[in-house]
């Protein structure tokens, strides 16, 4: 009898993670990421798992292919065709200079150079009414120039197309007739909201990454099907949902943060299982650390995403729903280096899989966080990289000693401690950005850490931020991949719709949501999902009249009936409730509310299509005694807490209900959890580790 398997893969900067669920049993695999040929790393991981793709009924995949193409400038030569007179929208951008005292400040360079930005005669007014019909004959010369320039993708972005996309549709149709081979994306296909610069930039970036993304996903799909996969894989999107390959190819910028968000959704799911709804979720991989704040069990989604923003540059806005995360260049492979002033830094440069940390013995010379954890005894040499690599400890020690010479003669152990302190400080600052900086007290939250390095640094970070509890979920090293098996298909429908939020417009608002809902149901029907499988959530972007930006609140009523008295009452109550919620949300965000009329700016409908989940099974309760999982003892450097003889436990043998006290080390194939002296650990019903800090640590 054949047993079906559900499988997911997550391609990171260093490792490719794979999770297989068969008969409720979860098995995990890590394989080196094969840069430049990511699908091979996925196939390698599948090969290591021993699973037969013929038995796989569901396959989900997340990767960093889109964000890598953008940040490394490895997209394709892209052109922009826009409304006459608006060629320089990308160049003008916004006046939000973050480096206000820099007289030589330059705006970020557009992804389309001016010579490849073309104007077409056409015009809509601000209500979407036609002023000038598009002169499509002008496209003949434009396309001839683009062919001569070797352009591979075209973005079409016309003024006010979010209200009326007819001109963009006509232009795209004409372009495809002239040049069937070229990839074309129109702005209304990726963003139906106002703000010309943001919408145009989103269309340009989506076109910029379309050819490499399409090629990668088609190679991946072909390779998986050649190996026996019968169904099409699903792709993890940045909005926290999965989607079909064909859908994401039509709008590839939705994959801008495809890799990291799976773990954030998994954190919310696991938190709900164990009764923890207010969580700082932290994912530490080999290259980066990512974090978000989950309140009331909900993962925040931001529709105004900006990449490459820093104190010195405004970055590039992207109008697509993205889980609200903060990401920094610190992970297990982050390299330590000394600047010209003699100060020690860690990251953002990463050793990746090749050559990897110095202890890998593959030619690396700069010590990394992993090398430092090895030298402090936190990583068991016998379980290094899951026991597949014998670490070159002497090389790691020598690399740290060389760095120590540049720091005034510090020994390798001191350097290792310094590397970990700086790495922890960097990650602590990231956690503060999603908590303290937004008015949330970490002392009222729990820290859930995952990824290959999450458990390794979690307690140190909790001590720094006075967080009372750390949770290390089961299978934490591949938690993002596991999360992809726990979520539904998701599509977001956003539409700018300027309305006064008054009872007079209650029915009009409800009808607008009804039309979006009808589109969502029809789109999912095309993918084979019935209306009964679709779940809808509605939100509105509101502001006080005269304000520039908005606050998002929920709208509770979707159903629409034109001539029903009962429906009219429901519409009015839903709108009035939304207005009350807006006042509360505005006060929460900005500490005040105003006695001013409220204006609706944009509608946001989220549509989910339910798919089968892979629930996690509870473990047997074996009592509080954790000694059956005890493996031995070794000396471990707990930094400011000193060097201690720590008991070592094998996590796979810990049962629900078991308890232990630090100093201890809990080991598993993909990661290690240091438990500081005095910390108390309880294993929950599903195998998660709940580490409670001492009162002195949690409330200094």
């Amino acid at each position: 009898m054949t047993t079906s398997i559900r499988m997911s893969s997550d391609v990171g900067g260093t490792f490719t993670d794979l999770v297989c669920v068969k008969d409720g049993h979860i098995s995990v695999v890590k394989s080196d990421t094969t840069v430049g040929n990511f699908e091979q790393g996925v196939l390698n991981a599948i090969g290591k798992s021993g699973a037969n793709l013929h038995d796989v009924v569901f396959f989900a995949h997340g990767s960093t292919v889109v964000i890598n193409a953008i940040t490394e400038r490895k997209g394709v030569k892209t052109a922009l065709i826009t409304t006459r007179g608006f060629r320089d929208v990308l160049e003008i951008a916004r006046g939000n200079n973050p480096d206000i005292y820099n007289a030589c400040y330059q705006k970020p360079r557009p992804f389309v150079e001016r010579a490849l930005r073309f104007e077409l005669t056409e015009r809509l007014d601000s209500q979407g009414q036609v002023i000038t019909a598009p002169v499509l004959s002008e496209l003949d010369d434009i396309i001839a120039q683009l062919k001569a320039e070797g352009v591979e993708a075209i973005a079409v972005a016309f003024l006010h197309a979010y209200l009326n996309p007819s001109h963009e549709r006509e232009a795209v149709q004409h372009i495809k007739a002239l040049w069937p081979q070229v990839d074309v994306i129109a702005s209304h296909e990726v963003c139906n909201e106002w703000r010309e610069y943001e919408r145009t930039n989103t269309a340009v970036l989506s076109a910029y990454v379309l050819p490499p993304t399409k090629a990668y996903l088609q190679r991946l799909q072909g390779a998986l099907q050649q190996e026996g996969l019968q169904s099409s894989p699903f792709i993890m999107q940045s909005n926290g949902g999965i989607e079909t390959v064909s859908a994401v190819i039509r709008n590839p910028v939705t994959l801008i943060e495809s890799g990291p968000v799976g773990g954030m959704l998994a954190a919310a799911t696991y938190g709900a299982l164990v009764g923890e709804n207010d969580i700082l979720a932290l994912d530490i991989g080999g290259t980066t650390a990512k974090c978000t704040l989950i309140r009331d069990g909900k993962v925040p989604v931001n529709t105004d995403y900006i990449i490459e923003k820093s104190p010195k540059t405004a970055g590039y806005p992207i109008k697509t729903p993205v889980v609200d995360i903060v990401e920094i260049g610190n992970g297990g492979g982050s390299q330590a280096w000394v600047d010209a002033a003699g100060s020690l830094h860690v990251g953002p440069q990463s050793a990746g899989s090749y050559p990897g940390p110095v202890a890998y013995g593959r030619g690396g010379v700069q010590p990394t966080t992993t090398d430092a954890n090895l030298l402090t005894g936190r990583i068991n040499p016998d379980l290094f990289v899951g026991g597949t690599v014998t670490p070159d400890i002497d090389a790691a020690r020598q690399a740290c000693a060389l760095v120590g010479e540049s720091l005034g003669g510090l020994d390798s152990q001191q350097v290792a401690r310094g590397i970990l302190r700086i790495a922890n400080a960097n990650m602590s600052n990231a956690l503060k950005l999603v908590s303290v900086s937004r008015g949330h007290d970490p002392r009222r939250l729990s820290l859930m850490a995952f990824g290959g390095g999450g458990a390794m640094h979690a307690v140190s970070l909790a001590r720094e931020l006075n967080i009372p509890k750390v949770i290390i979920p089961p299978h934490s090293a591949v938690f993002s991949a596991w999360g992809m098996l726990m979520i539904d298909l998701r599509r977001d429908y956003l539409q700018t719709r300027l309305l006064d939020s008054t009872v007079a417009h209650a029915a009009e608002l409800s009808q607008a949501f009804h039309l979006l809902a009808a589109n969502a149901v029809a789109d999912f029907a095309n993918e084979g999902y019935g209306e009964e499988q679709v779940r809808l959530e509605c939100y509105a972007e509101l502001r006080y009249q005269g304000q520039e930006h908005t606050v998002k609140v929920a709208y509770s009523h979707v159903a629409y009936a034109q001539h029903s008295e009962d429906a009219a009452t429901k519409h009015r109550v839903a709108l009035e409730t939304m207005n009350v919620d807006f006042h509360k949300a505005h006060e929460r965000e900005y500490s005040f509310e105003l006695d001013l009329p409220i204006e609706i700016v944009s509608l946001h409908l989220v549509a989910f299509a339910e798919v089968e989940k892979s629930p996690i099974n509870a473990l047997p309760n074996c009592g509080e005694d954790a000694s059956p999982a005890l493996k031995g003892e070794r000396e471990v450097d707990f930094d400011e807490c000193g060097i201690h003889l720590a008991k070592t436990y094998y996590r796979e043998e810990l049962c629900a209900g078991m308890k232990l006290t630090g100093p201890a080390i809990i080991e598993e194939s993909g990661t290690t959890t240091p438990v500081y002296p005095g910390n108390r650990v309880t294993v929950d019903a599903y195998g998660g580790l709940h580490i409670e800090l001492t009162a002195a640590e949690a409330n200094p």
Side-chain angles (χ1 to χ4, degrees):
M1 179 178 176
T2 301
T3 302
S4 61
I5 298 173
R6 293 170 59 80
M7 182 179 289
S8 61
S9 65
D10 176 31
V11 178
T14 304
F15 293 109
T16 294
D17 300 338
L18 187 81
V19 172
C20 297
V21 180
K22 180 179 180 181
D23 295 330
H25 174 71
I26 299 176
S27 59
V28 301
V29 170
K30 274 186 175 287
S31 179
D32 289 341
T33 291
T34 48
V35 179
N37 188 18
F38 293 119
E39 66 274 14
Q40 187 57 51
V42 176
L43 295 177
N44 292 344
I46 294 171
K48 288 176 67 174
S49 74
N52 189 335
L53 282 179
H54 286 278
D55 301 329
V56 175
V57 296
F58 177 91
F59 190 99
H61 176 70
S63 79
T64 55
V65 61
V66 169
I67 189 65
N68 287 348
I70 292 174
T71 57
E72 298 172 11
R73 303 301 190 265
K74 291 184 178 178
V76 299
K77 196 169 188 177
T78 304
L80 169 66
I81 299 176
T82 188
T83 303
R84 186 163 302 283
F86 289 83
R87 178 185 186 185
D88 294 318
V89 162
L90 288 182
E91 202 87 47
I92 296 169
R94 294 290 174 193
N96 51 346
N97 173 9
D99 196 8
I100 59 175
Y101 297 110
N102 181 1
C104 299
Y105 175 80
Q106 292 185 343
K107 293 180 180 179
R109 184 177 179 182
F111 276 75
V112 178
E113 59 186 276
R114 195 169 195 273
L116 293 178
R117 302 198 296 262
F118 294 86
E119 298 176 341
L120 185 74
T121 301
E122 68 83 35
R123 192 62 181 263
L124 301 171
D125 66 16
S126 61
Q127 304 303 311
Q129 301 300 313
V130 176
I131 296 176
T132 303
V135 183
L136 298 178
S137 59
E138 295 177 357
L139 288 171
D140 297 358
D141 290 338
I142 293 174
I143 296 304
Q145 292 182 59
L146 298 185
K147 287 182 179 180
E149 290 286 346
V151 165
E152 297 180 55
I154 301 172
V156 178
F158 292 156
L159 190 66
H160 304 309
Y162 65 92
L163 290 170
N164 180 357
S166 61
H167 288 186
E168 286 191 349
R169 288 178 179 148
E170 291 178 44
V172 169
Q173 185 177 4
H174 195 81
I175 291 169
K176 296 299 288 185
L178 294 171
W179 194 5
Q181 300 81 13
V182 75
D183 287 307
V184 187
I185 283 183
S187 72
H188 75 273
E189 297 174 304
V190 300
C191 176
N192 271 315
E193 295 183 274
W194 66 357
R195 301 190 187 280
E196 296 307 314
Y197 167 57
E198 287 80 357
R199 181 164 55 86
T200 301
N201 193 68
T202 303
V204 163
L205 287 177
S206 205
Y208 179 74
V209 300
L210 174 56
T213 303
K214 179 169 67 173
Y216 167 66
L217 292 178
Q218 289 176 342
R219 289 197 311 269
L220 174 68
Q221 185 173 20
L224 292 173
Q225 291 176 344
Q226 188 174 358
E227 294 293 323
L229 183 66
Q230 302 299 307
S231 58
S232 176
F234 291 94
I235 309 300
M236 185 75 215
Q237 295 186 108
S238 305
N239 62 6
I242 53 175
E243 186 55 285
T244 60
V245 172
S246 59
V248 296
I249 285 177
R250 291 194 294 271
N251 185 10
V253 82
T254 60
L255 306 184
I256 189 76
E257 290 288 359
S258 168
V261 300
M264 306 306 164
L265 272 293
T269 300
Y270 192 77
L273 277 177
V274 299
E276 296 281 349
N277 294 319
D278 296 327
I279 296 169
L280 272 174
L282 174 65
D283 178 2
I284 304 176
T287 306
T288 59
K290 289 81 63 176
C291 58
T292 194
L293 176 64
I294 299 170
R295 292 304 304 267
D296 299 323
K298 296 182 179 179
V299 178
V301 176
N302 185 6
T303 55
D304 292 310
Y305 185 64
I306 302 177
I307 62 168
E308 300 186 10
K309 184 178 181 179
S310 74
K312 303 247 180 229
T313 180
Y316 299 90
I318 299 176
K319 296 284 283 184
T320 192
V322 179
V323 169
D324 189 8
I325 60 175
V326 169
E327 183 170 357
I328 62 168
N330 260 115
S334 295
Q335 296 173 324
W337 53 283
V338 179
D339 65 21
S343 298
L344 180 64
H345 299 260
V346 178
Q349 303 91 339
S350 175
S353 294
Y354 292 93
V358 176
Y360 277 21
R362 298 173 180 169
V365 294
Q366 291 294 116
T368 66
T369 345
T370 296
D371 295 309
N373 278 313
L374 183 66
L375 293 182
T376 54
R378 303 181 191 188
I379 295 178
N380 185 347
D382 296 331
L383 289 178
F384 194 61
V385 195
T388 61
V389 174
T390 301
D392 191 340
I393 299 177
D394 290 337
R397 186 174 291 113
Q398 184 178 1
C400 285
L402 286 173
V403 171
E405 291 178 7
S406 302
L407 296 171
L410 300 180
D411 62 35
S412 59
Q413 198 70 12
Q414 291 173 312
V415 171
R417 279 187 172 187
I419 290 172
L420 295 179
R421 288 181 183 181
I422 292 173
N424 287 335
N426 292 338
M427 296 180 217
S428 175
N429 287 335
L431 290 169
K432 289 176 184 177
L433 287 175
V434 297
S435 58
V436 178
S437 297
R438 299 179 183 178
H440 301 286
D441 188 347
R443 293 173 297 183
R444 293 183 171 87
L445 305 170
S446 294
L447 175 63
M448 186 179 294
F450 44 92
M456 188 76 65
H457 296 265
V459 174
S460 295
L461 294 169
R463 288 165 56 88
E464 175 72 21
L465 294 173
N466 305 323
I467 298 172
K469 180 192 280 190
V470 169
I471 302 171
I472 310 298
H475 312 294
S476 65
V478 293
F479 202 54
S480 289
W482 177 76
M484 296 177 200
L485 299 176
M486 302 299 297
I487 55 182
D488 293 320
L489 273 73
R490 169 173 172 156
R491 291 181 181 173
D492 290 75
Y493 298 80
L494 295 100
Q495 176 70 61
T496 291
R497 186 69 176 263
L498 289 174
L499 291 172
D500 291 333
S501 191
T502 60
V503 172
H505 293 102
E508 186 177 355
L509 175 63
S510 185
Q511 183 181 23
F513 272 120
H514 176 75
L515 294 175
L516 291 177
N519 289 337
V521 170
D523 287 345
F524 277 122
N526 292 334
E527 301 286 352
Y529 295 91
E531 185 173 355
E532 70 283 355
Q533 295 174 277
V534 178
R535 175 170 56 89
L536 304 174
E537 294 179 2
C538 296
Y539 303 89
E541 298 275 1
L542 307 178
R543 66 185 182 185
Y544 293 116
Q545 284 188 3
Q547 286 185 320
E548 170 68 8
H549 294 290
T550 60
V551 174
K552 179 176 290 187
V553 296
Y555 177 78
S556 61
H557 188 58
V558 177
Y560 173 73
Q562 262 185 324
H563 305 293
S564 167
E565 184 175 336
D566 179 60
T569 301
K570 289 181 179 179
H571 301 160
R572 176 181 56 78
V573 171
L575 183 138
E576 290 174 345
T577 302
M578 181 181 70
N579 287 346
V580 171
D581 290 343
F582 166 72
H583 286 298
K584 294 178 181 178
H586 195 280
E587 183 174 22
R588 184 173 61 249
E589 292 286 332
Y590 301 107
S591 75
F592 69 93
E593 59 178 273
L594 299 173
D595 185 19
L596 289 175
I598 301 171
E599 186 177 33
I600 300 167
V601 175
S602 293
L603 314 181
H604 183 183
L605 182 136
V606 184
F608 299 91
E610 187 175 350
V611 298
E612 182 184 352
K613 308 295 191 304
S614 298
I616 185 169
N617 295 328
L619 300 178
N621 192 306
C622 304
E624 295 185 2
D625 183 14
S627 60
L630 183 63
K631 291 302 176 183
E633 295 179 324
R634 71 169 182 270
E635 282 194 344
V636 177
D637 187 342
F638 288 97
D639 199 0
E640 70 274 11
C641 292
I643 298 175
H644 294 265
L645 189 64
K647 293 181 178 180
T648 59
Y649 296 84
Y650 192 46
R651 184 170 184 179
E652 278 76 358
E653 296 184 15
L654 288 172
C655 296
M658 286 184 173
K659 296 184 178 181
L660 60 97
T661 302
I665 296 291
I666 301 174
E667 299 175 344
E668 53 188 301
S669 59
T671 190
T672 299
T673 306
V675 182
Y676 276 60
N679 294 161
R680 297 179 299 275
V681 181
T682 303
V683 183
D684 68 31
Y686 303 95
L689 307 176
H690 293 238
I691 307 171
E692 295 182 12
L693 277 64
T694 63
E697 291 174 304
N699 299 287

